[in-house]
């Protein structure tokens, strides 16, 4: 069966993170989106999340010379006015999930948003389209050994298990990444019908 993205030729999903690729691949297959995966470490831009996502996508499109999807993930703590946000990778590298939890020790408010920003461009010098998936939750003492990154300290709203305690399939039904991918799928479906 042909994927909905076929009208664009090969769309490359560019990421240097195998965990993100694995999740995206599962969700995209389930929704009949055909893409090729390309492991590519892009520059680490600084700025607001939308700026970072757009810059990464433009860079990837200039390297691939064709349609690309890039992804940037933020973990925004309400008590810290959105930090660590798009810099969570670096906070996690230095502090680990336990340190992320300890960042909020002095705050009563432990609420947070897991945010996936997908960026799609048809190629170099083309418009970048952004798709945001958000899952609300709170930061808790790390629990669980599934998943990757900060999954063990993020408890999604309405769940009694962290991302890292959920099965791969359970996480994929509620994740911020899934929400963004479904928005992208809808956009590609509409473009292909035009």
């Amino acid at each position: 069966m042909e994927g909905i993205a076929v009208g664009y030729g090969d769309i490359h999903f560019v990421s240097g993170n195998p965990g993100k690729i694995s999740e995206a691949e599962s969700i995209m297959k389930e929704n009949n989106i055909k893409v090729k995966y390309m492991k590519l470490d892009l520059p680490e831009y600084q700025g607001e999340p939308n700026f970072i996502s757009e810059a990464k996508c433009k860079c990837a499109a200039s390297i691939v010379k064709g349609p690309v999807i890039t992804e940037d993930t933020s973990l925004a703590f309400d008590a810290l006015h959105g930090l660590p946000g798009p810099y969570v990778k670096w906070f996690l590298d230095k502090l680990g999930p336990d340190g992320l939890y300890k960042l909020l020790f002095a705050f009563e408010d432990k609420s947070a948003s897991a945010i996936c920003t997908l960026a799609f461009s048809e190629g170099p010098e083309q418009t970048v389209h952004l798709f945001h998936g958000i899952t609300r939750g709170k930061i808790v003492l790390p629990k669980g050994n599934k998943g990757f990154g900060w999954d063990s300290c993020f408890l999604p709203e309405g769940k009694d298990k962290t991302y890292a305690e959920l099965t791969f399939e359970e996480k994929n039904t509620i994740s911020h990444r899934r929400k963004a991918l479904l928005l992208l799928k809808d956009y590609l479906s509409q473009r292909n019908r035009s």
Side-chain angles (χ1 to χ4, degrees), residues 2-193:
E2 292 294 326
I4 63 169
V6 130
Y8 291 104
D10 290 334
I11 297 177
H12 289 85
F13 188 105
V14 177
S15 177
N17 184 319
K20 288 181 180 182
I21 288 174
S22 177
E23 281 188 11
E25 185 172 42
S26 172
I27 293 164
M28 292 180 111
K29 271 186 187 175
E30 167 189 319
N31 287 283
N32 199 30
I33 301 171
K34 294 196 178 213
V35 295
K36 289 188 174 182
Y37 296 90
M38 177 180 283
K39 184 178 180 342
L40 186 62
D41 288 316
L42 298 170
E44 292 289 340
Y45 295 97
Q46 295 190 28
E48 292 296 320
N50 284 353
F51 168 81
I52 292 170
S53 297
E54 189 171 333
K56 281 174 69 171
C57 191
K58 286 179 178 178
C59 179
S62 71
I63 293 168
V64 173
K65 306 279 190 248
V68 294
I69 300 165
T70 59
E71 188 225 333
D72 201 66
T73 299
S74 295
L75 184 61
F77 297 174
D78 291 356
L80 298 180
H81 307 285
L83 288 174
Y87 305 109
V88 68
K89 173 182 176 179
W90 305 109
F91 277 65
L92 185 64
D93 183 51
K94 300 297 182 193
L95 303 174
D98 192 55
L100 290 177
Y101 171 73
K102 288 177 182 174
L103 278 176
L104 294 177
F105 182 76
F107 297 91
E108 187 175 328
D109 185 1
K110 307 286 195 249
S111 58
S113 293
I115 306 165
C116 173
T117 303
L118 286 176
F120 169 74
S121 176
E122 293 184 38
E125 307 301 320
Q126 299 297 310
T127 302
V128 174
H129 303 275
L130 301 179
F131 306 89
H132 301 90
I134 300 171
T135 298
R136 292 286 297 158
K138 65 182 179 179
I139 303 303
V140 298
L141 194 62
K143 296 184 288 185
N145 56 11
K146 299 178 185 124
F148 61 97
W150 40 261
D151 284 359
S152 63
C153 67
F154 184 75
L155 181 71
E157 270 184 4
K159 297 291 180 185
D160 59 359
K161 294 179 180 177
T162 66
Y163 267 177
E165 293 176 296
L166 298 172
T167 66
F168 184 76
E169 294 76 21
E170 287 173 326
K171 180 185 173 190
N172 277 351
T173 64
I174 62 165
S175 80
H176 51 296
R177 191 163 290 112
R178 177 187 182 82
K179 292 171 184 176
L181 285 164
L182 292 178
L183 292 173
L184 172 61
K185 176 196 82 113
D186 290 345
Y187 173 80
L188 293 175
S189 295
Q190 288 172 6
R191 290 290 299 241
N192 273 354
R193 284 196 294 267

